[in-house]
C-alpha cells in the first residue's frame, strides 16, 4: 500500500510540474481536420498553379507526423478508441497529402482505415448523425474523389451513405448561409459542394474583426483560398504562430473556460484533494473576474450563447461548490433573454450539452432562489425533449449516445443522493470523459497527454482508496466476529452494509478510525435493536438495560453479555483515542448516551 501511495504522490508532482504550469491552450487537443485545411493552402496567388510546398509547411509536417498506428487522424476517446470524428479528419489529411504529393504510405494507411472502419463507426451512430457530420463527411468524400483518391466503401454501406448525402441535401435546401442557426451553414464553407453558390461578398460580410470566419481555422483557410483577403491571412498567421503543434478547432480559445474544464475534470475523477491549491487559485481568479464584470450584459448574439451558457453554468456550479457567494442572475442571464430561450427551444439538440450543465448547476440551489428553479425546469424540459427524440427516432433499436446516457443519469438520480466514490468510478469508465464541449465539426477534447496522465492518476488513486476501504472492512468484520456479533443466530447480519453506508458518507482522506468506529457503532445498534425487537424476553431486556445504566455486566449471560461486552469494547476504544488526541476523558458522556438509547428500546419493547 505504501508503494502505491508513493507512486501516486510522484505522479501528482509530475502533473503539477509538467502540465499545470504550461499554456492552458495546450490542454486542448489539436484538430487534425483544421490543421489539414491550413496545410492545403497554396502560397501562389493562383491557387491552381502548382507550388513546391504549402504556405504553412509546419501544418503539413504535423499531418505527416501525427497519424496514429491504426492509420487515422484525430482524437480518440478516453479509452483510446477512434470516434466518428476520425472519418472526415482522416479524409482531410489524406487530401492534404495528396495535394502536395507527399506521404504516400500515410495516405494508403489512412484510406485503409476509412475503408475498414467506416461501417463500424457509422453503424454506432446510425439514424442519429449529428448535423455537422452530415455536412462535413459528404464534403470530404467529394473532395477526396476530386483529388483523385480512390474510395472503396463496402457495398453494404451504399444505402447508409446515400442517406447521409440525402440528409445533407435537405440541410442545403432548407437553411440559409447565415440564418440564426449555429454554427451557420457558411461556417462549413470548406465542406460545401462546389455547386453551392457562395459569393466573395457573402464571405467578406461575415468575417470577424480578427479576420476569421466564425473563429473556425478550416473555414477561414477556405475563405482565404476563395478571396485572398489579407484579414484572413493575418488570422491564419497569428494562429500558426500561437499553435505551432497543430491548430485547434476554434481560435482564439477561451483560456478561462479551459481552466474551468480542468478543475471540473479533477473533481469528477476524484483527484481534487491532490490539487487543492491549484483549484482554489483558479477559482479565486475566476471569482474576481466575474465580480469585475459586475452587471455587464451578457452577449445576446446566438452564435456565442451555447459556449457562454456552458461556461457560466460550469462557473456557477464550481464556485458554489467551493463556498463562493455568487448571484444566479449573473450566470443564468439567458432566462431574461427571450431570443436566446427561443433559440434553445428550437435548436435543442445543439444546446443539449449546455443545458445539461445548466441542470447540473441548479443542484446548488438554495431555498427561495426562484430563478434557479426556473432554470432547472427549463433545462429539464430541454433534456427530456432530446431524450424523447432519440427514443422516437430509433424506436426499438435506440442506442443512447454517451451524452444521452449522462442526461438520463442526471435526471434519474438526484445529485444529493449519489455516492462520490462510485461517481468517480463512473467517470473514469466513461469513454468520452475527455470531451469538453461541442465544436463546429468535432468535440473539443482534452489533449491525449493530459487525458492519459489524469486517467493514470485517477485509476491509481481509486484503487488506493479501494484498498483502504477493503482493509477497513476486513478489520470491522474481524472485530464483529471476535465480539460474537456475527454469530448471534437472529436478526440481521449487517456488517458489510453498515461499513458501506458509513464509508460512502465519510470519504477519504478522513481518518480510517472515524469510519471504523461509526461502523462498529452501527453494527452494535443493528444487533441490539433486533435483540430488543424480536429475541430477548422482557426480563433479559430489563437486565441488559440496567447493566448499561450501571455499566456493569454482572449477572448478564448469553446474548445480553455479548452485546454489553461489544459495546464496552467500542466505548473503551473511542475513549482511548479521544484521550490520546484531545486529553479529555469522555467515558461518562458516552455511557450516558448509550444508556438513553437502550432505555428507549426498552420502552418500545414494553409498548409492543
Amino acid at each position: 500500500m505504501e508503494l502505491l501511495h508513493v507512486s501516486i504522490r510522484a505522479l501528482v508532482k509530475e502533473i503539477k510540474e509538467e502540465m499545470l504550469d504550461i499554456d492552458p491552450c495546450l490542454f486542448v487537443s489539436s484538430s487534425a481536420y483544421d490543421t489539414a485545411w491550413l496545410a492545403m493552402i497554396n502560397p501562389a496567388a493562383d491557387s491552381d498553379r502548382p507550388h513546391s510546398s504549402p504556405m504553412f509547411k509546419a501544418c503539413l509536417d504535423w499531418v505527416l507526423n501525427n497519424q496514429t498506428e491504426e492509420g487515422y487522424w484525430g482524437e480518440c476517446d478516453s479509452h483510446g478508441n477512434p470516434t466518428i470524428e476520425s472519418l472526415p479528419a482522416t479524409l482531410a489529411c489524406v487530401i492534404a497529402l495528396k495535394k502536395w504529393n507527399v506521404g504516400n504510405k500515410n495516405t494508403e494507411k489512412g484510406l485503409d482505415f476509412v475503408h475498414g472502419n467506416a461501417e463500424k463507426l457509422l453503424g454506432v451512430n446510425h439514424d442519429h448523425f449529428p448535423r455537422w457530420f452530415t455536412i462535413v463527411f459528404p464534403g470530404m468524400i467529394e473532395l477526396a474523389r476530386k483529388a483523385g483518391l480512390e474510395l472503396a466503401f463496402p457495398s453494404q454501406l451504399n444505402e447508409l451513405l446515400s442517406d447521409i448525402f440525402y440528409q445533407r441535401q435537405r440541410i442545403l435546401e432548407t437553411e440559409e448561409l447565415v440564418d440564426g442557426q449555429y454554427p451557420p451553414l457558411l461556417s462549413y464553407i470548406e465542406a460545401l459542394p462546389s455547386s453551392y453558390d457562395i459569393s466573395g461578398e457573402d464571405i467578406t460580410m461575415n468575417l470577424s474583426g480578427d479576420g476569421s470566419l466564425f473563429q473556425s481555422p478550416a473555414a477561414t483557410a477556405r475563405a482565404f483560398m476563395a478571396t485572398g483577403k489579407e484579414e484572413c491571412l493575418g488570422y491564419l498567421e497569428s494562429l500558426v504562430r500561437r499553435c505551432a503543434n497543430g491548430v485547434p478547432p476554434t481560435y482564439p480559445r477561451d483560456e478561462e473556460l479551459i481552466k474551468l474544464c480542468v478543475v471540473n475534470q479533477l473533481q469528477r475523477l476524484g483527484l481534487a484533494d491532490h490539487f487543492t491549491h491549484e483549484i482554489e487559485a483558479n477559482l479565486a481568479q475566476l471569482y474576481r473576474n466575474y465580480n469585475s464584470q459586475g452587471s455587464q450584459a451578457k452577449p445576446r448574439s446566438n452564435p456565442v450563447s451555447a459556449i457562454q451558457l456552458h461556461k457560466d453554468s460550469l462557473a456557477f456550479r464550481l464556485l458554489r461548490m467551493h463556498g463562493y457567494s455568487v448571484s444566479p442572475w449573473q450566470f443564468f442571464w439567458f432566462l431574461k433573454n427571450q431570443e436566446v430561450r427561443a433559440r434553445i427551444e428550437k435548436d435543442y439538440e445543439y444546446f443539449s450539452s449546455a443545458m445539461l450543465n445548466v441542470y447540473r448547476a441548479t443542484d446548488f440551489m438554495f431555498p427561495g432562489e426562484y430563478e434557479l428553479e426556473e432554470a432547472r425546469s427549463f433545462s429539464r424540459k430541454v433534456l427530456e425533449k432530446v431524450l424523447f427524440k432519440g427514443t422516437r427516432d430509433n424506436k426499438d433499436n435506440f442506442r443512447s449516445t454517451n451524452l444521452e446516457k449522462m442526461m438520463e443519469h442526471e435526471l434519474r438520480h438526484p445529485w444529493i443522493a449519489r455516492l462520490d466514490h462510485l461517481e468517480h468510478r463512473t467517470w473514469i469508465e466513461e469513454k468520452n470523459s475527455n470531451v469538453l464541449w461541442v465544436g463546429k465539426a468535432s468535440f473539443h477534447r482534452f489533449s491525449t497527454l493530459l487525458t492519459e496522465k489524469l486517467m493514470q492518476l485517477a485509476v491509481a488513486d481509486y484503487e488506493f482508496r479501494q484498498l483502504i476501504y477493503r482493509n477497513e472492512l476486513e478489520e470491522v468484520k474481524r472485530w464483529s466476529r471476535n465480539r460474537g456479533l456475527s454469530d448471534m443466530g437472529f436478526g440481521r447480519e449487517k456488517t458489510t452494509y453498515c461499513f458501506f453506508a458509513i464509508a460512502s458518507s465519510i470519504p477519504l482522506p478522513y481518518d480510517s478510525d472515524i469510519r471504523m468506529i461509526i461502523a462498529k457503532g452501527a453494527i452494535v445498534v443493528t444487533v441490539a435493536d433486533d435483540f430488543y425487537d424480536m429475541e430477548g424476553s422482557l426480563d433479559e431486556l430489563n437486565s441488559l438495560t440496567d447493566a448499561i445504566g450501571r455499566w456493569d455486566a454482572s449477572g448478564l449471560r448469553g446474548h445480553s453479555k455479548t452485546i454489553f461486552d461489544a459495546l464496552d469494547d467500542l466505548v473503551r476504544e473511542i475513549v482511548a483515542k479521544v484521550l490520546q488526541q484531545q486529553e479529555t476523558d469522555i467515558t461518562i458522556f458516552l455511557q450516558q448516551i448509550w444508556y438513553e438509547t437502550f432505555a428507549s428500546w426498552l420502552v418500545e419493547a414494553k409498548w409492543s
Side-chain angles (χ1 to χ4, degrees):
M1 183 185 292
E2 183 59 31
L3 287 176
L4 183 57
H5 195 202
V6 170
S7 67
I8 289 173
R9 289 201 301 265
L11 189 53
V12 169
K13 182 180 179 182
E14 179 184 337
I15 292 174
K16 288 183 178 182
E17 291 177 349
E18 295 183 7
M19 310 195 75
L20 295 186
D21 289 332
I22 63 175
D23 182 350
C25 290
L26 297 180
F27 292 157
V28 181
S29 62
S30 300
S31 166
Y33 177 80
D34 290 85
T35 304
W37 270 100
L38 266 71
M40 295 182 208
I41 299 177
N42 193 330
D46 181 358
S47 61
D48 293 327
R49 182 163 56 88
H51 200 274
S52 60
S53 62
M55 177 175 286
F56 300 110
K57 187 175 183 302
C59 292
L60 183 61
D61 291 339
W62 186 93
V63 171
L64 284 167
N65 296 323
N66 283 273
Q67 187 178 27
T68 65
E69 287 294 324
E70 295 85 350
Y72 68 90
W73 281 270
E75 286 298 304
C76 55
D77 61 31
S78 57
H79 291 184
N81 302 312
T83 67
I84 192 175
E85 303 155 45
S86 63
L87 292 177
T90 299
L91 288 177
C93 287
V94 297
I95 292 168
L97 296 178
K98 177 70 174 178
K99 178 168 185 175
W100 302 108
N101 196 27
V102 295
N104 293 334
K105 290 185 177 179
N106 301 75
T107 299
E108 182 180 346
K109 195 174 180 181
L111 292 177
D112 286 344
F113 170 82
V114 172
H115 297 151
N117 293 272
E119 183 176 6
K120 174 185 176 182
L121 293 172
L122 294 176
V124 170
N125 296 272
H126 182 50
D127 288 338
H128 206 65
F129 293 110
R131 171 176 171 268
W132 70 265
F133 186 81
T134 59
I135 298 172
V136 172
F137 186 51
M140 293 305 100
I141 291 177
E142 290 171 341
L143 284 175
R145 287 171 174 163
K146 184 178 179 181
L149 293 166
E150 293 187 13
L151 296 181
F153 292 103
S155 58
Q156 57 266 34
L157 278 182
N158 290 341
E159 183 178 348
L160 181 55
L161 289 173
S162 297
D163 185 55
I164 295 173
F165 272 82
Y166 172 73
Q167 290 181 43
R168 181 187 69 163
Q169 188 58 35
R170 286 190 60 190
I171 291 174
L172 297 179
E173 291 174 353
T174 57
E175 292 184 16
E176 300 292 333
L177 275 177
V178 181
D179 63 351
Q181 175 84 9
Y182 192 79
L185 199 54
L186 184 58
S187 69
Y188 297 98
I189 182 174
E190 78 282 357
L192 297 180
S194 56
S195 59
Y196 198 82
D197 185 29
I198 302 176
S199 68
E201 184 179 356
D202 289 327
I203 296 172
T204 303
M205 287 177 57
N206 287 282
L207 290 179
S208 303
D210 59 7
S212 73
L213 194 61
F214 303 104
Q215 297 186 334
S216 166
T220 308
R222 184 66 186 91
F224 175 69
M225 295 178 192
T227 66
K229 285 286 185 181
E230 289 295 324
E231 301 98 305
C232 296
L233 179 59
Y235 169 84
L236 296 171
E237 289 175 336
S238 170
L239 166 63
V240 173
R241 281 195 302 271
R242 178 73 190 277
C243 307
N245 188 30
V247 303
T250 303
Y251 182 81
R253 290 181 282 200
D254 188 334
E255 294 187 16
E256 195 171 66
L257 174 56
I258 294 172
K259 290 179 179 179
L260 270 175
C261 290
V262 172
V263 171
N264 188 50
Q265 186 75 341
L266 293 174
Q267 295 274 174
R268 301 194 74 171
L269 291 174
L271 302 176
D273 293 333
H274 297 296
F275 299 92
T276 304
H277 174 73
E278 290 78 11
I279 289 174
E280 286 304 326
N282 276 323
L283 292 182
Q285 182 60 50
L286 175 73
Y287 184 66
R288 289 192 293 269
N289 292 347
Y290 270 87
N291 279 341
S292 67
Q293 294 172 9
S295 58
Q296 296 178 21
K298 289 290 180 183
R300 293 177 56 86
S301 57
N302 288 322
V304 297
S305 59
I307 298 300
Q308 193 67 48
L309 275 171
H310 179 93
K311 179 179 178 180
D312 286 345
S313 55
L314 185 56
F316 178 84
R317 177 183 175 88
L318 291 174
L319 287 173
R320 276 226 169 158
M321 183 186 294
H322 287 80
Y324 288 89
S325 176
V326 289
S327 166
W329 280 124
Q330 194 170 357
F331 296 89
F332 297 99
W333 48 271
F334 73 94
L335 292 172
K336 295 181 178 179
N337 190 324
Q338 292 303 318
E339 182 183 355
V340 173
R341 290 182 66 152
R343 173 58 60 190
I344 293 171
E345 291 175 330
K346 180 181 178 182
D347 299 331
Y348 57 90
E349 285 189 284
Y350 173 71
F351 283 93
S352 58
S353 179
M355 286 294 100
L356 180 58
N357 273 285
V358 169
Y359 188 81
R360 285 172 174 161
T362 60
D363 288 332
F364 293 84
M365 172 171 50
F366 294 134
E369 290 187 318
Y370 303 113
E371 58 272 70
L372 286 184
E373 292 178 9
E374 184 181 357
R376 189 171 185 85
S377 174
F378 180 82
S379 57
R380 185 180 184 93
K381 288 178 182 177
V382 172
L383 297 180
E384 289 173 342
K385 193 174 181 181
V386 174
L387 293 174
F388 174 76
K389 182 180 186 299
T391 307
R392 182 195 64 197
D393 289 353
N394 292 290
K395 299 179 182 177
D396 295 334
N397 297 319
F398 175 55
R399 297 183 180 183
S400 293
T401 65
N402 288 282
L403 182 61
E404 287 168 342
K405 289 178 181 176
M406 292 180 203
M407 293 178 190
E408 290 175 343
H409 180 69
E410 292 293 332
L411 296 181
R412 288 181 180 178
H413 308 289
W415 169 75
I416 199 68
R418 298 179 211 158
L419 306 179
D420 286 347
H421 199 51
L422 298 183
E423 284 287 291
H424 298 156
R425 176 171 178 167
T426 298
W427 197 240
I428 290 170
E429 294 175 342
E430 168 55 51
K431 69 178 183 177
N432 276 321
S433 63
N434 62 343
V435 169
L436 300 178
W437 63 87
V438 180
K440 185 196 87 173
S442 64
F443 286 109
H444 288 67
R445 296 176 183 269
F446 281 121
S447 67
T448 300
L449 180 60
L450 181 63
T451 298
E452 290 176 350
K453 290 288 185 182
L454 291 183
M455 198 58 66
Q456 180 185 354
L457 177 60
V459 171
D461 190 69
Y462 183 91
E463 291 176 345
F464 177 68
R465 292 169 184 248
Q466 199 78 330
L467 185 59
I468 291 175
Y469 288 137
R470 285 172 179 163
N471 289 341
E472 291 175 358
L473 176 57
E474 288 305 313
E475 173 59 30
V476 171
K477 285 182 175 179
R478 189 181 304 111
W479 178 85
S480 183
R481 284 195 303 270
N482 292 343
R483 303 316 310 178
L485 298 177
S486 300
D487 304 312
M488 298 291 278
F490 66 87
R492 299 162 288 174
E493 206 297 295
K494 291 287 188 178
T495 301
T496 301
Y497 177 92
C498 289
F499 178 78
F500 185 89
I502 301 307
S504 63
S505 305
I506 309 176
L508 296 170
Y510 290 104
D511 198 324
S512 294
D513 290 339
I514 298 176
R515 282 187 295 276
M516 290 196 289
I517 284 173
I518 300 178
K520 291 175 183 178
I523 295 167
V524 171
V525 166
T526 302
V527 173
D529 183 56
D530 287 346
F531 183 65
Y532 273 73
D533 282 346
M534 65 180 71
E535 182 67 17
S537 66
L538 196 56
D539 288 341
E540 288 176 315
L541 302 184
N542 277 314
S543 297
L544 177 56
T545 305
D546 290 342
I548 298 291
R550 303 189 313 271
W551 211 264
D552 181 359
S554 300
L556 294 180
R557 57 187 177 80
H559 295 321
S560 298
K561 181 74 161 57
T562 300
I563 292 172
F564 182 91
D565 288 345
L567 180 59
D568 183 56
D569 181 77
L570 175 60
V571 168
R572 289 176 185 274
E573 180 183 354
I574 298 173
V575 168
K577 291 184 184 298
V578 174
L579 190 61
Q580 180 184 7
Q581 295 178 16
Q582 306 292 334
E583 297 183 354
T584 301
D585 187 347
I586 61 171
T587 304
I588 190 64
F589 300 105
L590 292 180
Q591 291 175 349
Q592 181 63 31
I593 289 172
W594 278 109
Y595 172 68
E596 291 173 2
T597 303
F598 276 74
S600 67
W601 285 334
L602 178 61
V603 172
E604 182 184 350
K606 290 179 177 179
W607 287 346
S608 299

